[in-house]
Amino acid sequence: MTTLKGPGIFLAQFLGDKVPFNNLQSICLWAEALGFKGVQIPTWDSRCIDLQKAAESKTYADEIRGIVEESGLHLTELSTHLQGQLVAVHPAYNELFDGFAPESVRGNANARTEWAVQQLKYAAKASQNLGLNAHGTFSGSLLWHTVYPWPQRPAGLVETGFKELAKRWKPILDVFDENGVDLCYEIHPGEDLHDGVSYEMFLKEVNDHPRACLLYDPSHFVLQCLNYLEYIDIYHERIRMFHVKDAEFNPTGRQGVYGGYQSWVNRAGRFRSLGDGQVDFGSIFSKLAAYDYKGWAVMEWECCLKHPEDGAAEGAIFIQDQIIRVTEKAFDDFAGTGSDEAFNKKILGI
């Protein structure tokens, strides 16, 4: 068993134009002062990192790592959630997702996809340059608009969609393999990889690629009414990253999983600050410790009610309190009598 590393913090929701959130050094010092021990960096935000430069220059990568470490922190992982989303976009979402891409490729779906794929390849090399072994992303989606179909999906549509998704991701996975980095998909509504079954369909199409791993985030499973503890039992061998994020699901006679097109405050399913939702983190941390999870416990903050700075301050303490320092011996070792083969045979009467 392994004691989880943490607490870490995903910087994406905190970066902004005001001090101390406007550059990597100052936000790291802020995070360290709250009690965090690691930071996860979103690679689409230039206030933190130039992804291409980190891939092409080991010197620059060392400078980024140096900024983090001089602040008393560890760099846990990089993230390409926005770029990963753009690897596969159904045309119905083109305008909405164009905002994730640079202006030079907006309005040109093919160019946008090529840009996203290259970004993922940069992320693989940048992760290697930074000494990291895991990376977080989204899968994108070609099929999400058919998730609850009316009219019914034509025969073969899902299979064709996953073959195309795998065709786009397989070369990326190979680059991550070349660089010794696990590519961890955050299983998330809105993505074609949104639950265990859809992940398994993708895994089959990429021939069980060893780098096609998982970022575990229980909040998204609460909102799907999926058993997030059994999920760990099933997929623990592929879980390489962990977002500590809380949520609640309170269905009424008026709305359920789909939320009635309401704002976050008014939905039955809502993200909450750590400890304010319904996720059983005690059981999660116990299972991950028992399954020898070797990665970081990283807070991803989203809440429909609480101020983010309060959520961050409380989150550092919350995660630290959940981390189990694993035992090195069984509780009844003191009662051991010792044994050898002859002694064992004597006990068995043979």
Side-chain angles (χ1 to χ4, degrees), residues 15-233:
L15 287 161
D17 293 328
K18 296 182 179 179
V19 176
F21 308 107
N22 59 342
N23 66 69
L24 182 59
Q25 182 180 44
S26 61
I27 199 171
C28 282
L29 291 170
W30 166 80
E32 193 276 336
L34 292 179
F36 288 102
K37 298 178 181 178
V39 290
Q40 187 178 100
I41 292 181
T43 62
W44 59 86
D45 197 312
S46 60
R47 287 170 292 204
C48 271
I49 193 170
D50 181 325
L51 181 59
Q52 181 176 351
K53 192 173 180 180
E56 296 176 343
S57 170
K58 182 65 166 62
T59 300
Y60 173 75
D62 288 342
E63 291 172 359
I64 292 294
R65 176 174 280 280
I67 291 171
V68 174
E69 293 181 349
E70 287 168 11
S71 301
L73 299 170
H74 297 277
L75 178 53
T76 68
E77 305 96 0
L78 301 180
S79 154
T80 52
H81 283 75
L82 300 195
Q83 301 99 312
Q85 182 75 60
L86 300 184
V87 170
V89 176
H90 186 275
Y93 300 100
N94 272 337
E95 286 73 23
L96 292 171
F97 282 134
D98 259 357
F100 289 2
E103 291 186 13
S104 60
V105 298
R106 293 176 188 173
N108 185 334
N110 289 335
R112 185 184 61 202
T113 300
E114 291 175 2
W115 173 84
V117 169
Q118 183 59 64
Q119 284 281 295
L120 266 294
K121 292 178 179 179
Y122 285 147
K125 184 60 179 176
S127 294
Q128 184 197 60
N129 283 343
L130 289 161
L132 305 175
N133 58 20
H135 179 82
T137 197
F138 280 149
S139 70
S141 173
L142 302 172
L143 287 162
W144 182 252
H145 64 295
T146 73
V147 71
Y148 196 76
W150 177 252
Q152 287 296 311
R153 293 183 290 255
L157 181 72
V158 172
E159 291 76 7
T160 300
F162 273 90
K163 286 183 185 300
E164 176 61 27
L165 192 68
K167 178 182 175 182
R168 299 185 187 194
W169 278 104
K170 178 61 164 57
I172 298 171
L173 286 162
D174 289 343
V175 173
F176 272 85
D177 194 31
E178 292 165 6
N179 286 279
V181 180
D182 292 324
L183 182 55
C184 304
Y185 294 98
E186 182 169 355
I187 305 303
H188 189 293
E191 311 301 318
D192 281 345
L193 276 58
H194 60 274
D195 59 12
V197 174
S198 55
Y199 171 65
E200 289 175 15
M201 288 192 289
F202 177 74
L203 205 56
K204 178 182 177 182
E205 294 299 332
V206 294
N207 301 316
D208 291 326
H209 201 292
R211 297 297 179 180
C213 295
L214 293 167
L215 189 168
Y216 176 70
D217 184 335
S219 68
H220 304 300
F221 299 150
V222 168
L223 303 190
Q224 294 184 66
C225 302
L226 184 152
N227 188 325
Y228 55 85
L229 296 178
E230 185 178 358
Y231 180 97
I232 299 174
D233 293 329

